[in-house]
Structures are given as structure tokens and as C-alpha cells.
């Protein structure tokens, strides 16, 4: 296993990292003010890579790059940029270049671009769009943020459910305005309700006389337009969907979501979970500025300070005990630290299992029992180890007994709190990734210090 | 923000959770030994949902369910099961049912199913496959684990680059064995090297006389067959790919990877990162047994024990100082805890930025500078707060000064270690998600206790 991991993460060719060797010539062209050379260097890059490059240079360089790149600046780069930097880049763009860039975008990308903007900025961008696009964007914005309605595209290919393969082919080949990217023909009934879909591949490989309704895919499912985007991504991943029709409250077809958008959402949701678990604002990016970063992190450090002070208040109750035996001060952080770690292990597994819907009312009690058992077994293992360490280090067998008992208590509590806290937060409608850590650590700190010092007070003094 | 999050995670209809109300009738049918009713209940469920259901019931129930379901058991359920449980289910299946189930699967799913099995188990499953499938599976297994070669499918639609739309349509419509799911026609040169691809949608909407080479997609990229699967997933997400041809060392076409497989890998990689960051074995599942779970978690707790003992050794150097002023024992965990939290925040952002290739040699120094600055600002903020708390609580202004200084030192060090440790581990080819936490916490514990107690010794005694 260890070897695999070493090989995995070793830098290698073709691992898509933008390294210094790619960036240096770009910076040289910028220094020379050589717009032609800059365009030549950036031209072959994907918009996503140009966005990464802009994120990785410092603020002044970024503005200079955007200005020198000028007319060639592509709208897609904007959609790929981290939000913090995007505004800055928009501000640096010549208004005409910005208009051109935005007009090139698909309407769902425009929605993504402007949904977090101030109203006057939104209005400025909507103004440059053609009427039909503006209406589409405005319609999308009527759906709540982070719902299927914001994710879907309106361009799709639809056929009456009674058509056969030949009719579908003739219809598609006669059309002028088919979407660039589509994978399914959606069948609808006379009331515009989707009833199934057929892949283009299946249409290609079927005789003209076959009814479309006979070659629909089993994977067909519709997505309610108000469904949370996280659940949309879950459905794509769980059911291996490639695209899915979106329906309104009357089950009528209003749009279609494709897997590439679902994949991007899955990626974002994971990112948010990781950052929330670590107590970092979920939109943190490596390109944020000092002040922005500080602002995002201070609240969580403040919460931690309160929990740490709570733990200190527990210790303060035992000042006399510590004064009588300073070895207790030396050993007490070990109990708290082990509890904190065991609690974090459990809560991370629980938070993930809640997110992937693997921890449900059907198995929650079995999981709680299991985690308490795991805590007990781990507690016994480390009780023996620490009991021996405490005994040998301070030549006090009873100190070994005290730390061993405290270890068992704290690891059992850690297992219990590690499941119970996220499950309760989830029931209360609070994101367990966001708040579990602080609660669980408070519990393990308080219980750790209290069990250890309390037992010491009872047994040793 | 807070409100959004509350709405997000509130349980709601259509959020795909398998709840007790769905599981209860299944268990009732099992109790009655009513195979017909069981089949009726499971029939409409997707294989992924049946797999979830099997994961959520206890071990005995699972075996009984699999046996009663019997002949109806679908091979796809196996591919959706957690690995721990999969073996158990395979063992419970009648050999003939297992053979049927495996024969139904696509070859890439068979590879996924058997790649982690013991050799004799592998052989048993390979034996039941038809010759052509067995050869395909065996060929896939010749590529290293977790590479593009294991992910790709061999079924694809290929056309010479000089064909036009009409030729492609006629060819496809004349074929018998087109793959069920395909989205692109891959163009190849006479040496079998892919040179571009055309979407089926584009073929449908283009006149027959148009050359395929004129309507290829800009997004075209090939994937080296030995590329790490994590990088494959990255490429799909970064470049919005739907499918990508896989090539061997001579750039010849050997297979194709589609976005649904890339999405599953992206999901797995994220999951691994989250679990590794928390010090939990990366294949942990909520369905693991106590002994399995303990085995996975003990190593990380053992590492934590060593770092906690290291920190205690630092405290032990100052036993006399603490004996002289027990308030130090009360306050010292606060400094260490704040450092640990700040360090975890920074390292999480750094580990993610490394994974998404946003932290590179081009910006590493700027990021280090930024994190140290953030540590300094946060340090100053909490130095003031804790200075006041220390002063007021213990009526000792110098104690306030000591804890304030120690806080600044530890948060700056936390910022530095939080970036430096993951970056160095990454350079050494060690997965930073796996090992950063232990190193960073050791640093912040040791520095936290040393700075606080050392300053106290110098100033107060």
C-alpha cells in the first residue's frame, strides 16, 4: 500500500500541472509587452489552464496579463476562474472585450458567472446579451440558487413518444439548430411530460422502423427543477446517468442536465465538505488574499478558543491536584489528544456516510453500537500502552492505572460523540460537516481532562 | 450563509435516501420467506440502491436476503457493493447464480470486480466468462492497478479521418455490434493513431458531404494508457471531457474512457482524501465490522500517541516551572489547541490545492508568505484576546503577556508548517493527505508548549 501511494503522488509527466517552465515564457512575453507572443503562447491552452495560470501569478501581473492579452480574452476563461479573482479580472477587462466574452458563452455559463454578482453588475452584463439569451438567463435566475433549475440547459432534442427511429433521424437531420452537445433524444407525451430517452448510439444502430419507445434506456429518471444541486450530483453518480430531463411540479419537461455539470457540482460539494471539516470557509481558495483568508478562518479559531477555554475551566477545578502532582500536567494532554483524534476519525466517517446516504435511520443504531465498541477496543489497547508508559516514566503504578482508565472512558465517549453529534446536527438540519468538529472536540477535551484529573483526585490524593 | 446551509441539509423528499419505510417491507417479506414478494419489492430498484440496502442491514439478514432473492440477483449489484461486503455476498451466492451474474457484466465491470480478489477466486470467475470476454479482462489486468488501462473500455466506434458524414452514418447504420453507450466517433490515421473525434450530435446535424475532420471537437485529448486514474479524473473535470481515447506508448488507440467512469474515480479520490486527512484508512466504509475498523484506525492513533508523548516530553522539561505556577498547566492546552487548529486549516487548504494542481512551483513562495502573514494576523488577534483572558482570570498581567506572545509564535509556525509540510511530502512523493496532519500537529504541540512554558520560565520565574 505504502509503495502504491508513493508512486501515485510522485510528480510525473502528463499530470497536468502548470509548472514554472510553462509560466516563465508567458511572464517573459509580458515583460517585453509582446502581445503577439503572449497570444501565441496562450492560444493552444485550454481556458481552464489559462484560468489556473491567472490564479497562480500575483495580482499586478494578473492585471497586466489580462490587459496585454486584450481582444483575445475568451469568455470561457471567466467561468473557470476562482470567484475572488474573477471580479478582479472583470474589472481589468476593457468593457468591449467583456461584452464580447460574455456574448460567446452558453446561457448556463452566464448564469454561473453572474449569479453571485451585485445587482448593478448583473444588469450591466445582462445588457450586452442578445434578447433571447437574456430571457433564458433571467428565467434561470428565477429558480433558487443551488437547484437543478440553475444547472440545467434549455437546449435539448425532443421527440413524440410514438415516433420511430426513421422519423427521429429525418427530423434531426432536417434541423438547423441542434445543440452542439447532446446525447439523448427525450421522448415526451402530448402533455410535454418526458416518458423515456434513447441514446443517439442506439438510434444509429437500430432499423428505421423500430419504435423509439422500444429502445429507451433503463437508466431514465427525471430531476425535479427545485432539487438541491448536491442531490442532483448524487443521483448522477449513484445511477450512472449521462443526462437527465428536468421537470417542473406538473412533471413537464423544462430542461436537461448533463453529467459534466453534475461532475463539477460533485467536485465542489466534496471540496466544501473537506474545507468545512477543517474549519475553513468552504469557498476558500489558494488565490485568496491575506485579509480574505483571515476573515474566513477567524470565526472557526474563535469557536476553538471557546472550547479550549472550556477545557481549561475543567483543568482549573483540579489546580490543587496538579499542584500536588505535576506529572498530571505532563500526561493530561495525551488523554485529551487521543480522544480528539479518535473522535475526529469517527465523525469524519459519519459525516461522509451521511453525505453519501449510507448512514440512515435504518442502520444508525448499529453504527452507534459499532463505534462505541471500536472506541472500547481502541481504548483498551491504548490504555495498556499508556498505563505502562505512565507507570515506567513516573514510577507510579497508580498513575498508570488512572491514565489507562481515563483513556478507555475518553475513547468510548469519542466514538459515541463522533456518531451522535453529526447525526443529531443532520436531524436538526445543520450541515454536520460544518459544526461537528467543534462539538466533538469539546466533548473529548472536557471528558478527557475531567476523567483523568478526576480519577487522579479520587485515587492518588 | 447559515440559512442556506440549514436548508441544504434538511431531509427532504426525493433526496434519494433509503429510509426505514423502504426497508421494512423488504424485511417483512424476508421474515415470511416470501421470495415472490421480495422480488416484487426489489425489482423496481436500481442495482445501486439494492447494494445500499444490503450494506445497511446486518450480516445475517444480508445473507438471508441474498439467498432468498436467489436467481433474480443481478451482477450489477455486485459492482455497486462496498468491497468488505462484496466478498461476503459472493460467498452467499449459489455458484450458478454467481456465474450468470458475472456473465451479464461489461468487461470493465468484471475487471473492477475481480482485481482485488485472491488468485484462485479470480480464476474461478474468469472460468465462467466467455472466451472473448475472458481475454479482454485478462488484457486489462495486464495494466497496473489504478491506471487508465484498467478504466478504459475496448468497445468504441472508429472511422478513418478522411471519411465524410454520409460514410460515417452509413457505416454505423450497417453495423450490428455498436456499443450500447457511445458519444463520439473517433477519427484515426492509417497508423491507428487517434487524430480527433466528432460527436454523434454533430454528425446528425451536418450535411452528408461534410468531412468528419472539419467538424471535430476542440476538446479532443488523448489519455496515455499508463496514466494514473486520479489524473484521468482530473483531466475530465478540468477540460470538461465526455469521453477520451486512450493511447499506448506509440500513440495508437487502445480503448476509450467515458465521463461516468471518470466521475466515479473523482468521487473515490475525494473520499480517500477526506478519510486520509482524518487519519482513517482510505477504504473505510460505514459497513465495516468492529475488528476491521479498529485495525484501520489503530495505526493513526498510535502515530498520534507518539506525537502526544513528544509534546509531553516538552512539558516535562518545565515541571518545576509548572509546580511554581499551576495556572500555566491550566492555560497551556489553549496555546497548543489553537496552533493545532490553525495548522489544520492551512494544511487542508494546501493539501486540496496540491490535489487540484493549484499550488505549484510557480506560486509556492507566495502561498507560504501569505500563510505566514495570515498566521501573524490571527496570532495578533488571539494574542490580544488570550492576553486579556489570562490577565483577568489569574490577575497576572505578565501571564497575559506570555500567553499572547506564545500565541503569536505558535500561529505563525502553524501557518508555515501547514504549507511547508504538505509541499515537502509531495516533493518526496508521499501523499500529503496521508501524513501531513501528524507532522503539523506535532510541530504545533511542541512549539506551543515550548513557547508558552519557555517564555513563562524566562519571564515569570
Amino acid at each position: 500500500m505504502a509503495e502504491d501511494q508513493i508512486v501515485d503522488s510522485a510528480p510525473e509527466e502528463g499530470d497536468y500541472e502548470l509548472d514554472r517552465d510553462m509560466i516563465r515564457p508567458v511572464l517573459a512575453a509580458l515583460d517585453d509587452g509582446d502581445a503577439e507572443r503572449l497570444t501565441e503562447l496562450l492560444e493552444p491552452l485550454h481556458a481552464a489552464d489559462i484560468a489556473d495560470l491567472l490564479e497562480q501569478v500575483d495580482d499586478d501581473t494578473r492585471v497586466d496579463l489580462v490587459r496585454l492579452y486584450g481582444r483575445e480574452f475568451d469568455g470561457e476563461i471567466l467561468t473557470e476562474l476562482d470567484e475572488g479573482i474573477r471580479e478582479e479580472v472583470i474589472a481589468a477587462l476593457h468593457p468591449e472585450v467583456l461584452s464580447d466574452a460574455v456574448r460567446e458563452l452558453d446561457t448556463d455559463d452566464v448564469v454561473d458567472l453572474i449569479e453571485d454578482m451585485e445587482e448593478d453588475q448583473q444588469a450591466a452584463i445582462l445588457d450586452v446579451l442578445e434578447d433571447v439569451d437574456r430571457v433564458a438567463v433571467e428565467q434561470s435566475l428565477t429558480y433558487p440558487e443551488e437547484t437543478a433549475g440553475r444547472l440545467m440547459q434549455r437546449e435539448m432534442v425532443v421527440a413524440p413518444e410514438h415516433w420511430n427511429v426513421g422519423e427521429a433521424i429525418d427530423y434531426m437531420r432536417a434541423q438547423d439548430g441542434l445543440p452542439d452537445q447532446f446525447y439523448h433524444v427525450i421522448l415526451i407525451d402530448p402533455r410535454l411530460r418526458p416518458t423515456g430517452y434513447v441514446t443517439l448510439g442506439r438510434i444509429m444502430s437500430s432499423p428505421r422502423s423500430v419504435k423509439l419507445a422500444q429502445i429507451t434506456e433503463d437508466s431514465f429518471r427525471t430531476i425535479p427543477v427545485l432539487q438541491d444541486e448536491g442531490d442532483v450530483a448524487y443521483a448522477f453518480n449513484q445511477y450512472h446517468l449521462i443526462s437527465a430531463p428536468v421537470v417542473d411540479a406538473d412533471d413537464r419537461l423544462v430542461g436537461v442536465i448533463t453529467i459534466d455539470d453534475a461532475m463539477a457540482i460533485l467536485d465542489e460539494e466534496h471540496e466544501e465538505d473537506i474545507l468545512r471539516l477543517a474549519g475553513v470557509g468552504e469557498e476558500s481558495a489558494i488565490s485568496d488574499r491575506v485579509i480574505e483568508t483571515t476573515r474566513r478562518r477567524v470565526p472557526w479559531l474563535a469557536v476553538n478558543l471557546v472550547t479550549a477555554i472550556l477545557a481549561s475551566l475543567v483543568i482549573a477545578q483540579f489546580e490543587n491536584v496538579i499542584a500536588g502532582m505535576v506529572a498530571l500536567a505532563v500526561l493530561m494532554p495525551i488523554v485529551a489528544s487521543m480522544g480528539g483524534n479518535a473522535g475526529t476519525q469517527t465523525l469524519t466517517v459519519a459525516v461522509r456516510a451521511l453525505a453519501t446516504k449510507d448512514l440512515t435511520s435504518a442502520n444508525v443504531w448499529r453504527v452507534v453500537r459499532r463505534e462505541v465498541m471500536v472506541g472500547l477496543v481502541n481504548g483498551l489497547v491504548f490504555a495498556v500502552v499508556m498505563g505502562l508508559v505512565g507507570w515506567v516514566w513516573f514510577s507510579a503504578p497508580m498513575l498508570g492505572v488512572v491514565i489507562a482508565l481515563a483513556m478507555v472512558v475518553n475513547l468510548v465517549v469519542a466514538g459515541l460523540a463522533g456518531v451522535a453529534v453529526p447525526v443529531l446536527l443532520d436531524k436538526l438540519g445543520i450541515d454536520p460537516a460544518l459544526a461537528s468538529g467543534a462539538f466533538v472536540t469539546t466533548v473529548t477535551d472536557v471528558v478527557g481532562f475531567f476523567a483523568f484529573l478526576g480519577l487522579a483526585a479520587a485515587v492518588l490524593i
Side-chain angles (χ1 to χ4, degrees), chain A residues 251-413:
Chain A
D251 278 337
R252 277 182 314 231
L253 183 67
V254 289
V256 64
I257 295 177
T258 50
I259 185 175
D260 49 330
D261 293 321
M263 186 179 189
I265 295 295
L266 188 80
D267 189 49
E268 272 173 36
E269 297 263 319
H270 272 293
E271 189 82 18
E272 281 178 18
D273 273 0
I274 292 182
L275 295 176
R276 284 179 184 176
L277 277 167
V280 190
E282 67 259 30
E283 281 174 8
S284 301
I286 202 82
S287 56
D288 287 343
R289 296 220 188 71
V290 169
I291 194 67
E292 179 67 358
T293 308
T294 308
R295 203 181 56 72
R296 286 186 197 283
R297 295 195 196 162
V298 159
W300 308 105
L301 291 176
V303 170
N304 181 62
L305 184 66
V306 172
T307 79
I309 290 177
L310 266 179
S312 289
L313 287 171
V314 174
I315 301 174
Q317 305 309 308
F318 298 95
E319 275 191 61
N320 294 334
V321 185
I322 295 173
M325 190 177 194
V326 179
L328 296 176
V330 174
L331 292 177
M332 67 183 186
I334 297 179
V335 179
S337 161
M338 291 297 281
N341 259 266
T344 303
Q345 290 181 331
T346 304
L347 86 85
T348 304
V349 173
V351 165
R352 287 307 305 154
L354 285 167
T356 57
K357 309 184 201 286
D358 290 330
L359 177 53
T360 67
S361 53
N363 63 350
V364 63
W365 287 111
R366 209 164 44 253
V367 172
V368 168
R369 264 204 312 278
R370 203 235 358 213
E371 288 298 332
V372 170
M373 279 301 297
V374 170
L376 187 63
V377 175
N378 282 339
L380 291 172
V381 169
F382 290 103
V384 172
V385 176
M386 267 319 293
L388 290 172
V389 170
W391 180 11
V392 172
W393 189 349
F394 294 95
S395 319
M398 281 315 285
L399 186 59
V401 171
V402 165
I403 198 167
L405 285 176
M407 190 72 86
V408 174
V409 169
N410 208 21
L411 291 202
V412 169
V413 168

Side-chain angles (χ1 to χ4, degrees), chain A residues 31-168:
Chain A
D31 276 346
D32 302 342
D34 188 344
E36 210 171 306
R37 174 101 188 99
L38 181 69
T39 305
E40 218 170 84
L41 287 163
L42 296 183
E43 178 68 34
L45 295 186
H46 190 282
D49 287 331
I50 299 179
D52 281 352
L53 191 152
L54 289 173
E55 285 163 13
Q56 287 181 27
V57 296
D58 64 44
D59 296 354
D60 294 338
T61 312
R62 186 178 309 127
V63 171
D64 293 344
L65 267 176
V66 169
R67 296 216 167 115
L68 188 62
Y69 197 32
R71 294 239 138 260
E72 305 296 325
F73 194 92
D74 190 272
E76 244 189 274
I77 302 171
L78 286 179
T79 65
E80 302 282 352
L81 280 172
D82 280 349
E83 264 169 53
I85 284 186
R86 195 191 276 168
E87 283 180 34
E88 208 181 296
V89 169
I90 287 178
L93 283 173
H94 190 280
E96 235 169 82
V97 176
L98 178 61
S99 304
D100 285 352
V102 170
R103 263 195 295 263
E104 279 165 22
L105 292 175
D106 289 339
T107 57
D108 53 337
D109 287 332
V110 177
V111 171
D112 184 44
L113 190 66
I114 72 174
E115 63 183 358
D116 298 316
M117 287 184 178
E118 306 290 327
E119 256 181 54
D120 52 332
Q121 266 191 300
Q122 273 194 3
I125 291 206
L126 283 172
D127 264 356
V128 309
L129 293 178
E130 284 167 41
D131 284 353
V132 49
D133 286 348
R134 187 171 56 245
V135 170
V137 170
E138 283 170 343
Q139 240 166 28
S140 269
L141 291 174
T142 62
Y143 294 109
E145 269 189 72
E146 307 193 347
T147 61
R150 291 274 179 113
L151 271 185
M152 70 190 184
Q153 56 187 65
R154 278 177 174 67
E155 301 85 27
M156 47 195 168
V157 178
V158 171
E161 53 187 343
H162 58 77
W163 274 14
N164 64 27
V165 168
E167 284 170 300

